[in-house]
């Protein structure tokens, strides 16, 4: 009996320690979302789970500024590009039903399109080389009208913009590809895109608050909707993107286009989605393994993107699959750490700062990270790194030196200072990222490798 009592008290002590550790993690995560002086407070919903059990779920801020309505766990958000994983699943379900193949040609479904040798698989993995549809609409579309997917097909067929590269030659993120996948779903199934997803994904998984929704095109309202707000620089206030010229065109004229976005959901429903992907409720586990395989390019190289998911592998955590989304007023994120079964979901409806995903991930997994130590670099040597490096078509990182400091500036982003960690390796303090400079046989810098979010992306020097 004495032995049993000892075990009982040890069990109590262990349970106390586990409980205390869990509470400590929650407190640390909560502190990340605390308001920062001089910056807008985080506005959105957060859900974090372990093995399907919610350990942190919280709402911050407002769903509707006009009516002063707060967010809650059932508030519905536009997912933006997080929608792509649902489009991909729609294609996978049709494959399961033997209604299409990943090797099918795009022209099998839309023979009027001028693009040859593009497969469904390449559309899924962003290796098709298709041009972005947004510049096409900027040039040829009446912005007082709302476009739908068939309008993309009409403009591509009429104006025949060149591909960016031969199919399979490179990887470049393509909203066009995913809009066309949604159109393929409609053509093959005979159902509207939203209806197909509802019948085949949302209803079977009990995702009662999830739907495909084009708010302006459909002119209907969803109860408890999280309206997306952008900062008006003139008034320094948050407003609907419809009231600012540059964003109004996007959110109105392109509101009817589906597949690359327009799935709307809640953090609670997205956890149901996460749980289903560990099962065979929708497709077989073998098909899910295929969905999480990196894209293979023509020359044999691979890129860490599957079917609507970015792929990564992190020491001590293992394989992760993640995706982010962005649209005027919305910033979304879902990460599934599939080997340790942990889930991070963040949905924002205002352009406010959010904590580093890496910091959340490290707290969740009990990882202590030592801050990178700076070393000094001779100013004369900094000139070795100056140049422009192309990581993808239309996306570069420019390295400059000013006085005795070195800076990196990505396309469309601010300029940030780099700090040397070791020879030819620099880190940023504003985000969790590193840049490694690669030298050729003559010791001249010829390329860089960007390390960020579990990904490694190489960029060749072009200037």
């Amino acid at each position: 009996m004495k032995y049993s009592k000892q075990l009982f008290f040890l069990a109590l002590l262990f349970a106390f320690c586990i409980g205390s550790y869990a509470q400590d993690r929650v407190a640390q995560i909560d502190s990340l979302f605390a308001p920062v002086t001089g910056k807008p407070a985080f506005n959105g919903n957060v859900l974090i789970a372990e093995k399907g059990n919610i350990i942190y779920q919280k709402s911050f801020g407002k769903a509707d500024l006009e009516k002063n309505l707060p967010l809650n766990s059932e508030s519905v958000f536009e997912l933006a590009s997080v929608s792509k994983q649902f489009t991909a699943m729609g294609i996978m379900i049709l494959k399961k039903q033997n209604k299409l193949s990943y090797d099918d040609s795009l022209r099998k479904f839309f023979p009027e399109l001028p693009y040859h040798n593009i497969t469904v698989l390449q559309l899924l993995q962003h290796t098709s080389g298709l041009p972005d549809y947004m510049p096409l609409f900027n040039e040829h579309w009446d912005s007082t009208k709302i476009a739908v997917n068939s309008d993309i097909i009409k403009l591509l067929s009429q104006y025949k913009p060149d591909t960016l590269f031969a199919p399979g030659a490179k990887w470049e993120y393509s909203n066009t590809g995913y809009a066309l996948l949604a159109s393929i779903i409609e053509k093959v199934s005979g159902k509207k895109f939203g209806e197909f997803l509802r019948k085949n994904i949302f209803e079977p998984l009990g995702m009662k608050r999830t739907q495909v929704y084009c708010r302006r095109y459909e002119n209907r309202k969803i109860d408890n909707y999280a309206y997306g707000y952008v900062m008006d620089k003139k008034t320094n206030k948050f407003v609907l993107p419809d009231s600012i010229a540059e964003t109004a065109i996007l959110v109105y004229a392109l509101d009817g286009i589906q597949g690359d976005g327009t799935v709307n959901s809640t953090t609670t429903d997205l956890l149901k989605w996460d749980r289903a992907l560990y099962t065979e409720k929708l497709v077989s586990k073998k098909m899910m393994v295929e969905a999480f395989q990196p894209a293979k390019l023509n020359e044999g190289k691979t890129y860490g993107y599957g079917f609507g998911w970015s792929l990564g592998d992190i020491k001590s955590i293992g394989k992760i699959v993640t995706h982010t989304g962005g649209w005027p007023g919305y910033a979304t994120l879902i990460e599934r750490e599939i080997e340790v079964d942990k889930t991070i979901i963040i949905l924002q409806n205002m352009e406010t700062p959010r904590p580093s995903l890496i910091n959340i991930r490290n707290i969740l997994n009990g990882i202590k990270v030592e801050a990178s130590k700076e070393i000094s670099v001779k100013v004369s040597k900094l000139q070795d790194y100056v140049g422009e490096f192309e990581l993808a078509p239309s996306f570069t990182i420019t390295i400059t030196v000013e006085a005795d400091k070195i800076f990196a500036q990505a396309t469309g982003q601010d300029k940030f200072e780099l700090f040397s960690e070791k020879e030819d390796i620099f880190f940023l303090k504003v985000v969790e990222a590193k840049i490694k400079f690669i030298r050729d046989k003559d010791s001249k810098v010829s390329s860089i490798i960007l390390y960020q979010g579990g990904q490694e992306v190489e960029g060749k020097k072009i200037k």
Side-chain angles (χ1 to χ4, degrees):
M1 292 296 294
K2 182 179 179 181
Y3 180 69
S4 297
K5 287 180 180 178
Q6 287 176 332
L7 284 179
F8 176 73
F9 285 118
L10 283 172
L12 281 179
L13 178 62
F14 179 73
F16 174 78
C17 291
I18 292 295
S20 177
Y21 172 63
Q23 290 177 355
D24 182 55
R25 284 187 303 165
V26 169
Q28 289 182 61
I29 292 170
D30 203 42
S31 69
L32 294 178
F33 292 92
V36 177
T37 302
K39 294 184 178 180
F42 174 84
N43 200 101
N45 281 357
V46 184
L47 186 151
I48 299 172
E50 289 184 326
K51 300 186 187 307
N53 299 311
I54 297 172
I55 65 167
Y56 186 88
Q57 186 173 23
K58 199 165 182 178
S59 298
F60 301 83
K62 303 295 183 181
D64 187 329
L65 291 179
E66 182 181 354
K67 296 181 179 178
N68 196 33
L69 297 177
L71 290 167
N72 59 49
S73 62
E74 293 303 306
S75 296
V76 175
F77 292 71
E78 158 68 59
L79 298 185
S81 286
V82 169
S83 304
K84 288 181 171 66
Q85 56 202 252
F86 294 99
T87 305
M89 179 56 74
I91 292 291
M92 293 168 68
I93 289 170
L94 289 173
K95 181 180 185 296
K96 176 186 174 183
Q97 297 172 351
N98 296 315
K99 294 182 178 179
L100 57 69
S101 165
Y102 295 149
D103 294 326
D104 283 342
S105 166
L106 173 61
R107 282 173 57 86
K108 175 182 178 179
F109 309 102
F110 304 108
E112 66 269 35
L113 290 176
Y115 308 110
H116 297 264
N117 304 318
I118 292 175
T119 66
V120 169
L121 180 64
Q122 289 166 340
L123 295 176
L124 286 167
Q125 296 182 325
H126 296 304
T127 59
S128 69
L130 285 170
D132 187 6
Y133 67 75
M134 291 188 187
L136 198 60
F137 277 87
N138 287 339
E139 186 174 355
H140 302 291
W141 186 253
D142 178 358
S143 61
T144 65
K145 298 178 180 179
I146 298 178
V148 294
N149 286 43
S150 61
D151 293 312
I152 296 179
I153 295 169
K154 289 176 184 176
L155 290 184
L156 289 173
S157 178
Q158 180 178 355
Y159 294 101
K160 300 176 176 58
D162 292 337
T163 55
L164 304 175
F165 48 83
K170 295 181 181 181
W171 184 95
E172 182 169 348
Y173 194 82
S174 176
N175 285 310
T176 304
Y178 268 77
L180 291 176
L181 287 171
S183 296
I184 289 172
I185 288 172
E186 291 191 338
K187 189 148 194 176
V188 172
S189 70
K191 294 182 173 63
K192 292 292 186 182
F193 176 66
E195 176 68 6
F196 183 85
L197 294 193
R198 182 175 69 83
K199 287 288 188 181
N200 291 275
I201 301 176
F202 306 148
E203 285 186 354
L205 300 186
M207 298 173 69
K208 296 180 181 180
R209 298 282 289 159
T210 304
Q211 58 191 288
V212 173
Y213 179 50
C214 304
R215 181 165 66 86
R216 299 156 186 86
Y217 180 67
E218 297 179 44
N219 194 27
R220 64 183 175 93
K221 292 187 177 181
I222 294 177
D223 180 53
N224 193 8
Y225 193 71
Y227 288 90
Y229 295 92
V230 297
M231 177 63 75
D232 184 346
K233 295 180 180 178
K234 294 180 180 178
T235 63
N236 204 33
K237 293 181 178 179
F238 283 105
V239 298
L240 291 172
D242 310 64
S243 64
I244 300 177
E246 54 267 33
T247 52
I249 294 175
L250 285 174
V251 299
Y252 183 80
L254 303 181
D255 191 59
I257 293 175
Q258 302 174 349
D260 57 338
T262 68
V263 173
N264 287 245
S265 189
T266 69
T267 54
T268 304
D269 271 6
L270 288 175
L271 182 60
K272 294 177 182 178
W273 164 246
D274 163 71
R275 303 323 299 161
L277 298 182
Y278 287 104
T279 72
E280 296 188 326
K281 288 182 179 179
L282 299 177
V283 296
S284 69
K285 290 186 177 180
K286 180 181 178 181
M287 290 187 73
M288 287 308 306
V289 170
E290 291 175 336
F292 296 146
Q293 291 300 307
K296 190 172 183 179
L297 305 179
N298 296 340
E299 295 181 352
K301 291 183 178 181
T302 60
Y303 190 90
Y305 195 95
F307 297 178
W309 293 93
S310 294
L311 314 177
D313 197 288
I314 297 177
K315 187 178 179 181
S316 76
I317 295 177
K319 190 168 186 175
I320 63 169
V321 296
T322 187
H323 214 288
T324 59
W327 194 240
Y330 294 99
T332 58
L333 177 151
I334 179 171
E335 174 168 296
R336 304 178 62 241
E337 300 168 5
I338 56 180
E339 291 185 21
V340 294
D341 194 356
K342 297 180 181 180
T343 314
I344 301 170
I345 301 166
I346 303 176
L347 306 179
Q348 293 174 255
N349 62 318
M350 286 189 190
E351 294 180 341
T352 56
R354 74 176 172 211
S356 162
L357 174 60
I358 293 178
N359 289 343
I360 297 173
R361 184 191 297 148
N362 289 343
I363 292 171
L364 183 59
N365 290 282
I367 298 173
K368 295 182 178 180
V369 180
E370 292 185 10
S372 298
K373 296 180 180 178
E374 298 177 37
I375 62 171
S376 60
V377 181
K378 291 182 179 180
V379 177
S380 59
K381 190 174 181 180
L382 290 179
Q383 294 297 328
D384 289 357
Y385 307 117
V386 171
E388 187 175 354
F389 301 83
E390 185 180 54
L391 285 76
S394 303
F395 183 79
T396 63
I397 291 180
T398 301
I399 306 297
T400 56
V401 172
E402 299 175 15
D404 59 348
K405 295 180 179 180
I406 183 170
F407 296 87
Q409 184 171 20
T411 300
Q413 299 180 25
D414 293 332
K415 183 188 298 182
F416 297 111
E417 186 176 357
L418 295 175
F419 301 88
S420 180
E421 180 179 276
K422 58 178 67 173
E423 186 175 1
D424 292 340
I425 298 179
F426 292 76
F427 65 94
L428 289 90
K429 293 183 178 180
V430 292
V431 294
E432 297 284 344
K434 292 184 180 182
I435 293 176
K436 180 178 181 180
F437 293 88
I438 307 299
R439 297 178 181 270
D440 60 20
K441 61 181 181 180
D442 298 320
S443 295
K444 293 183 178 180
V445 172
S446 58
S447 62
I448 62 171
I449 298 177
L450 172 66
Y451 299 91
Q452 188 173 12
Q455 297 282 339
E456 299 180 14
V457 184
E458 185 176 1
K460 297 290 185 183
K461 188 173 184 178
I462 57 174
K463 289 184 181 178

